[in-house]
Amino acid sequence: QFAAPQPMTKLSERGQLVVDYLGNHEAVGPSDLSHAYGYSNPTWSRELGTLCSPGVLRKVGQKYRRV
């Protein structure tokens, strides 16, 4: 038997901005997002960490990449 497919993770508005940014860039960090969209670096750090839990992103060094 096969496992049931997991439902798509519903992204927050900022989460969607991260995914959109990565559509045009190889990797992203909090300062990249702060310059592109506003909000503070700590806000983006939390958002990036949140996106790692469901496997949307993975951290590679100081940057994050799509899985």
Side-chain angles (χ1 to χ4, degrees):
Q1 286 211 7
F2 295 101
Q6 295 297 316
M8 288 295 294
T9 301
K10 179 149 175 54
L11 299 177
S12 67
E13 183 179 329
R14 285 191 301 261
Q16 188 59 55
L17 289 174
V18 172
V19 171
D20 292 346
Y21 186 93
L22 285 169
N24 296 313
H25 300 85
E26 187 175 318
V28 65
S31 60
D32 302 317
L33 296 166
S34 184
H35 288 113
Y37 303 115
Y39 301 106
S40 68
N41 281 358
T43 296
W44 287 116
S45 291
R46 282 190 302 275
E47 190 66 38
L48 291 166
T50 298
L51 292 171
C52 285
S53 284
V56 175
L57 302 179
R58 66 182 164 91
K59 189 169 184 182
V60 179
Q62 295 298 311
K63 298 284 185 169
Y64 293 81
R65 298 176 190 269
R66 294 282 313 255
V67 172

